[in-house]
């Protein structure tokens, strides 16, 4: 009976790749989001930006406005231009990896308040936009990985499993960032850049796995093969361009 119950809840093989990606994305994004404010308020002697909590809060508000604009304007525009869900997923995950890993470079302008505020706001806006696109498209891909009758079960399983990774993200991020500040090693990648390079590497792994196992066939559900043709052809046309 236990074996039958397990088989009933386990998704089909086609759904494993989106599920694994979603778990990795959840961990990497929560890990980064935990470390960024800590790094922004950390003293410069420890590798941080030595900014106030009010400064960080204001920048997060600005990035929230840009995120809303991207969700309502930017992402639909990409879809209308022929970018499929999987293509957006691949591109935005790769961009997120670069944005995460390049975060420590902002400390180079820490002495210039205006430049720091401008670059950090731009950095956060890009980060929020690409991560939101990753989540939006992976939800679409996850639903397209199974037939309509199995979507509820798969989404419940994905939320349950990913919740464990989301819970591990803050703890791991805080501990890893604290270690990078107190380990006495002032060499990249073991200095204050450790947490950001780690999160960038995690996103790069997610992107490599998505490119390898989440292809254009995930742009439509398996029970609607006719609907897949236009989107798949559009993605091939974009690839040729």
């Amino acid at each position: 009976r236990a074996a039958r119950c397990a088989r009933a809840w386990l998704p089909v093989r086609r759904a494993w790749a989106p599920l694994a990606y979603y778990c990795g994305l959840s961990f990497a994004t929560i890990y980064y989001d935990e470390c960024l404010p800590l790094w922004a308020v950390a003293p410069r002697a420890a590798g941080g930006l030595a900014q106030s909590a009010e400064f960080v809060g204001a920048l997060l508000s600005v990035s929230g406005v840009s995120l809303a604009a991207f969700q309502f304007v930017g992402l639909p525009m990409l879809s209308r231009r022929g970018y499929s869900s999987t293509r957006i997923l691949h591109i935005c995950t790769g961009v997120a990896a670069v944005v995460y890993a390049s975060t420590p470079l902002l400390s180079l302008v820490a002495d210039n308040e205006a430049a720091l505020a401008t670059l950090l706001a731009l950095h956060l806006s890009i980060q929020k936009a690409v991560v939101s696109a990753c989540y939006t498209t992976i939800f679409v891909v996850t639903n397209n990985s199974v037939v309509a009758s199995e979507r509820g079960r798969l989404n419940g399983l994905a939320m349950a499993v990913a919740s464990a990774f989301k819970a591990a993200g803050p703890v791991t991020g805080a501990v890893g960032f604290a270690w990078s500040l107190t380990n006495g090693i002032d060499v990249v990648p073991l200095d204050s850049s450790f947490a950001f390079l780690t999160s960038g590497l995690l996103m790069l792994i997610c992107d490599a796995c998505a490119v390898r196992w989440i292809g254009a066939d995930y742009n439509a559900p398996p029970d609607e093969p006719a609907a897949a043709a236009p989107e798949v052809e559009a993605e091939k046309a974009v690839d040729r361009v």
Side-chain angles (χ1 to χ4, degrees), residues 157-208:
L157 177 63
M159 290 296 177
V161 176
S163 294
F165 286 84
K166 291 180 179 179
V171 177
T172 309
V175 172
F177 183 72
W179 174 83
S180 69
L181 295 184
T182 59
N183 59 19
I185 303 175
D186 194 24
V187 178
V188 177
L190 300 178
D191 58 357
S192 58
S193 64
F194 172 79
F196 302 109
L197 294 177
T198 300
S199 58
L201 177 61
L202 290 172
M203 289 300 288
L204 183 61
I205 293 172
C206 287
D207 191 38

Side-chain angles (χ1 to χ4, degrees), residues 13-195:
R13 185 175 180 178
R14 175 180 161 88
W16 280 107
L19 181 60
Y21 174 92
Y22 181 44
C23 291
L25 177 68
S26 298
F27 179 82
T29 54
I30 296 294
Y31 183 100
Y32 179 87
D33 289 342
E34 178 69 20
C35 296
L36 183 64
L38 298 177
W39 175 69
V41 301
R44 294 184 185 177
L49 299 179
Q51 298 298 319
S52 65
E54 292 77 9
F55 176 84
V56 177
L59 289 179
L60 290 175
S61 299
V62 171
S63 66
V65 174
S66 63
L67 171 60
F70 176 78
Q71 285 280 35
F72 287 108
V73 179
L75 195 56
M77 185 181 298
L78 288 176
S79 297
R80 287 195 298 269
R81 291 178 65 88
Y83 285 80
S84 65
S85 296
T86 54
R87 185 170 178 81
I88 295 174
L89 180 72
H90 299 160
I91 294 174
C92 289
T93 308
V95 173
V98 174
V99 171
Y100 281 8
S102 64
T103 301
L105 296 177
L106 293 170
S107 62
L108 297 176
V109 296
D111 293 329
N112 189 325
E113 292 290 337
L116 177 62
T118 301
L119 291 178
L120 192 53
L122 178 61
H123 186 90
L124 286 174
S125 297
I126 296 174
Q127 181 256 329
K128 297 293 185 184
V130 294
V131 168
S132 70
C134 290
Y135 274 108
T136 301
T137 51
I138 194 57
F139 292 153
V140 174
V141 167
T142 299
N143 283 327
N144 286 344
S145 66
V146 294
V147 296
S149 60
E150 296 181 1
R151 287 174 190 163
R153 182 180 63 183
L154 177 61
N155 278 283
L157 177 63
M159 290 296 177
V161 176
S163 294
F165 286 84
K166 291 180 179 179
V171 177
T172 309
V175 172
F177 183 72
W179 174 83
S180 69
L181 295 184
T182 59
N183 59 19
I185 303 175
D186 194 24
V187 178
V188 177
L190 300 178
D191 58 357
S192 58
S193 64
F194 172 79

